[in-house]
Amino acid sequence: MDSGNFIGLIIGRFQPFHNGHLEIFKTISKECDHIVIGIGSAGLSHTFENPFTAGERHLMISHALWEQGMDNFFIVPIVDINRYSVWVSHVESLVPPFQAVYSNNPLTRRLFQEKGYEVRASPLFNREMYSGTEVRRRMLEDEEWMSLVPGAVADIISEIDGVSRIRDLMRDLF
Amino acid sequence: MDSGNFIGLIIGRFQPFHNGHLEIFKTISKECDHIVIGIGSAGLSHTFENPFTAGERHLMISHALWEQGMDNFFIVPIVDINRYSVWVSHVESLVPPFQAVYSNNPLTRRLFQEKGYEVRASPLFNREMYSGTEVRRRMLEDEEWMSLVPGAVADIISEIDGVSRIRDLMRDLF
Amino acid sequence: MDSGNFIGLIIGRFQPFHNGHLEIFKTISKECDHIVIGIGSAGLSHTFENPFTAGERHLMISHALWEQGMDNFFIVPIVDINRYSVWVSHVESLVPPFQAVYSNNPLTRRLFQEKGYEVRASPLFNREMYSGTEVRRRMLEDEEWMSLVPGAVADIISEIDGVSRIRDLMRDLF
Amino acid sequence: MDSGNFIGLIIGRFQPFHNGHLEIFKTISKECDHIVIGIGSAGLSHTFENPFTAGERHLMISHALWEQGMDNFFIVPIVDINRYSVWVSHVESLVPPFQAVYSNNPLTRRLFQEKGYEVRASPLFNREMYSGTEVRRRMLEDEEWMSLVPGAVADIISEIDGVSRIRDLMRDLF
Amino acid sequence: MDSGNFIGLIIGRFQPFHNGHLEIFKTISKECDHIVIGIGSAGLSHTFENPFTAGERHLMISHALWEQGMDNFFIVPIVDINRYSVWVSHVESLVPPFQAVYSNNPLTRRLFQEKGYEVRASPLFNREMYSGTEVRRRMLEDEEWMSLVPGAVADIISEIDGVSRIRDLMRDLF
Amino acid sequence: MDSGNFIGLIIGRFQPFHNGHLEIFKTISKECDHIVIGIGSAGLSHTFENPFTAGERHLMISHALWEQGMDNFFIVPIVDINRYSVWVSHVESLVPPFQAVYSNNPLTRRLFQEKGYEVRASPLFNREMYSGTEVRRRMLEDEEWMSLVPGAVADIISEIDGVSRIRDLMRDLF
């Protein structure tokens, strides 16, 4: 809480949390005293694009980071508000105060810049492979996906039977 | 995540987090492997009953618990949904899975019991003194309040100028 | 559906459905070919003022009317919209078309009159005794309440353990 | 209400109610003592995909079933809630208690299964012809559509001038 | 739009617009190039505290100011958002940009101050007499009220039969 | 306010206000004593389809009309309600009373006709060139766009740096 404490905010959907996210957090955590991790679209779940609840994603992120020995983070679910003009205030009210935002999303960047925040680019790591879309596609098509996510995340998805959920959501009964 | 992992949920408004909350958490943490701390009425702020935002309360709780050497907790803001019949599902979707709920609130107890959860009573510690109402009253009337809250909470309230906010909200200009 | 078909709308909270409601419906059903019964505040439940869900109230009303041999009614839950200026349109979109509204509530009467509807007064039957407030008070204080409601309603409340719910909601643990 | 009373839930949009729906209800009604019919997306109307209000659909279903001599059903409009994680609780609060769900929709099936319900497949009847999409297409293109719906439904659509509404919604003025 | 253009924001409920409001606007209009008039609680109507719709209040204000030869104002209805932490952003998104806020309300003052706005006190004029509460009380009790409001407002209330609405809302049928 | 006062309603998104809108307003203003201009989708901003806030659009319209010497108009932001069955009541509650609606949109026309309003076609002026889509496309691709909008609108877009906003929203960082 002293003035030397630098807090960075990063927002993602984490459907699911994968090794690309982990690498970003490792890199950013060197620049920040604490990271605030916003779980975006926290109200969405049970669709192919957004299979996991905010609570399940909270569990994945925290266990994956603890597994790495990291503990200087806050995790905050952020329910969509669908009014971009008030979205930054919405985020500000839900998360601890922060000094900079990490994002490559044009809308997120613009909204925080208009409110006067410093916005930094996120580092990127092999986006073709390390993406939620690719992980979900492999789960659906019964390909190998565990190597794309941290061990703790694979354990949690197995425990909540996440692959079945994704396949059930895409199954046509007739 | 193994089957021996017992997670307890406790929900409060924490306006602000005080020593009574801290004692409860210390007691409960002996019974649980992890505690999920739900920040209730997360959308409310800037009123005398609910002066602090969910983000400010998140900061207070995490720093107060870290100060005690505790780190086996998750903090999750829970925005009101105003439909009691769906409230337990709303909470379930936002927090990591839990096995028991700690609450003395009759409505909270009933709602979780109807969904089949084990509900335990929260331990109580000198409720006349250690209550959010008493802390806010002292702040408003310029009495000594810092002894009622953990040191980290006093620091955060000072940094965000929280006492001024409470007094301003109750000030009549004319 | 022929032009001689006269449909009357009546809206209540039915917390719970009691003999006063039943008498009103019997009287009105002589003036109407069909009655549309709107369950008001359908989203509210689990409070002392509104203990029962819309689904439970639906069950009470239908069984109580079937018990009387009545079947010329529609039951429609109406979730609150909290914008009186659009409330009549909200009701119109949820219920089958109707020709008259039965109500003694000043706001309801005014809102439907401003939209051009014929509004008739509801007949009243011993309002001190036959009121939801009185039924709930007797349940809470363990007085005789079953004589105030139709037999089918007493059976349903017993089956869903409704009296326990009301008492639990008012119970102070300490 | 005795323990031998088996209630099945089936949810559809019924835009409009057609002969395929009627056949499903006839089949299911042999397995159930009562059917709860949920009108899904009850808030939607006046679009080509969802032309009719919940009230109009309520009227269609009840008259079509009465025409068949059926009266062991409840009809309940269900407004969308757009949070799948709380949707089952939302439905539970609006409809009378039920023991099984009839659905072929993968999401509906999964959501009710996760809450522990028995989910049965709906019987299907000539889905190319008996579908809301086909009925609306024929209405728009001025083809014969009345043979696809029960007589009572054709009467109601005629009375509310439903075909004009569908054509007007698709008409380009210039 | 040049940099010398000073715009002041003032928000009220205007239930109804009265001579006290008019005096405030006359005074403020000397300090500002344009006034932005926010109609607060724009969604509320048809209650004793908030009898008139936002549209009716819009009409009252514009005609009363035009009657005075004023035309350097914008009127903007502002629907409540019930999240104080995002309320200033909500207002900012609905109204033209402004440089200062006129308010005596402690919450409004605090919220705009926290976002860095200059907040000025509103001038006050005989608040016992010139208040919406007093105007509505006189209407209800059939006392003389027209002298408390501008002539144009009295005309509009008469045209929309506003006094009857207020009396109907408070009338007990039995 | 006398009975000879004819008020016409016209609703658009005005993203941004262009010369086509201006010509429509000039034509309509000859048929009406006052025009009520509804800013549709008032809650949307910061997307390529809807870049400007309701407040910014309010400013554009009022300055463009004042520039023409017009002052017989009301501007009212109308936030989407996403329930077409209540949309007309929603609009009625926000705007001053009106006698006719100008629209070429099939849905808008149908909804107001069902409520008994006179609906007139809007005059159209070179829709290929004078359209919000074309103005935004030219801004994005750095083509000449100022000739498509009134001078006051070009000034305001320049002052709020609107072209940068549109380009930022479409920019891919990597």
Side-chain angles (χ1 to χ4, degrees), chain C residues 95-109:
Chain C
V95 308
F98 52 93
Q99 280 76 50
V101 180
Y102 290 83
S103 176
N104 299 327
N105 178 276
L107 175 60
T108 300
R109 292 177 62 87

Side-chain angles (χ1 to χ4, degrees), chain F residues 95-161:
Chain F
V95 308
F98 53 93
Q99 280 77 47
V101 179
Y102 290 83
S103 176
N104 299 327
N105 178 276
L107 175 60
T108 300
R109 293 178 61 87
R110 175 84 197 181
L111 291 173
F112 279 104
Q113 280 163 347
E114 286 195 3
K115 296 291 180 186
Y117 280 98
E118 179 193 350
V119 177
R120 303 180 180 181
S122 280
L124 292 177
F125 299 91
N126 192 346
R127 288 200 66 167
E128 270 76 55
M129 195 159 85
Y130 294 130
S131 84
T133 306
E134 174 64 9
V135 177
R136 296 192 305 272
R137 188 195 63 75
R138 291 191 183 187
M139 287 173 167
L140 183 64
E141 297 179 5
D142 207 4
E143 297 181 15
E144 195 283 323
W145 57 270
M146 292 201 188
S147 64
L148 303 185
V149 303
V153 171
D155 288 351
I156 289 165
I157 289 175
S158 156
E159 235 175 90
I160 64 176
D161 204 10

Side-chain angles (χ1 to χ4, degrees), chain D residues 117-165:
Chain D
Y117 281 99
E118 179 194 350
V119 177
R120 302 180 181 180
S122 280
L124 293 176
F125 299 89
N126 192 348
R127 290 199 65 167
E128 271 75 55
M129 195 159 84
Y130 294 130
S131 84
T133 305
E134 174 63 10
V135 178
R136 297 192 305 272
R137 188 195 63 74
R138 292 191 183 185
M139 287 173 166
L140 182 64
E141 298 180 6
D142 207 5
E143 296 182 14
E144 195 283 324
W145 58 270
M146 291 200 188
S147 64
L148 303 185
V149 304
V153 171
D155 289 351
I156 290 165
I157 289 175
S158 158
E159 233 175 272
I160 64 176
D161 204 11
V163 177
S164 289
R165 188 189 295 163

Side-chain angles (χ1 to χ4, degrees), chain B residues 81 83 86, chain D residues 78-88 90:
Chain B
I81 199 167
R83 284 274 305 275
V86 306
Chain D
I78 297 177
V79 174
D80 289 332
I81 199 167
N82 296 328
R83 284 275 304 276
Y84 294 136
S85 51
V86 307
W87 187 74
V88 170
H90 174 59

Side-chain angles (χ1 to χ4, degrees), chain A residues 12-98:
Chain A
R13 290 189 301 113
F14 309 114
Q15 291 281 16
F17 188 81
H18 53 64
N19 289 329
H21 297 127
L22 185 60
E23 289 306 313
I24 292 172
F25 287 9
K26 281 183 189 169
T27 306
I28 290 177
S29 74
K30 290 172 197 147
E31 299 174 33
C32 301
D33 296 291
H34 283 87
I35 310 176
V36 176
I37 302 166
I39 300 179
S41 296
L44 300 186
S45 69
H46 293 87
T47 68
F48 182 64
E49 293 293 310
N50 292 284
F52 302 111
T53 68
E56 291 165 345
R57 293 177 266 162
H58 198 134
L59 200 64
M60 291 177 200
I61 299 167
S62 54
H63 281 264
L65 298 186
W66 288 342
E67 197 174 48
Q68 296 287 325
M70 292 175 64
D71 61 1
N72 60 334
F73 58 89
F74 302 89
I75 300 176
V76 185
I78 297 177
V79 174
D80 289 332
I81 199 167
N82 297 328
R83 284 275 303 277
Y84 292 137
S85 51
V86 308
W87 187 74
V88 170
S89 285
H90 174 61
V91 172
E92 287 174 330
S93 78
L94 292 174
V95 307
F98 53 94

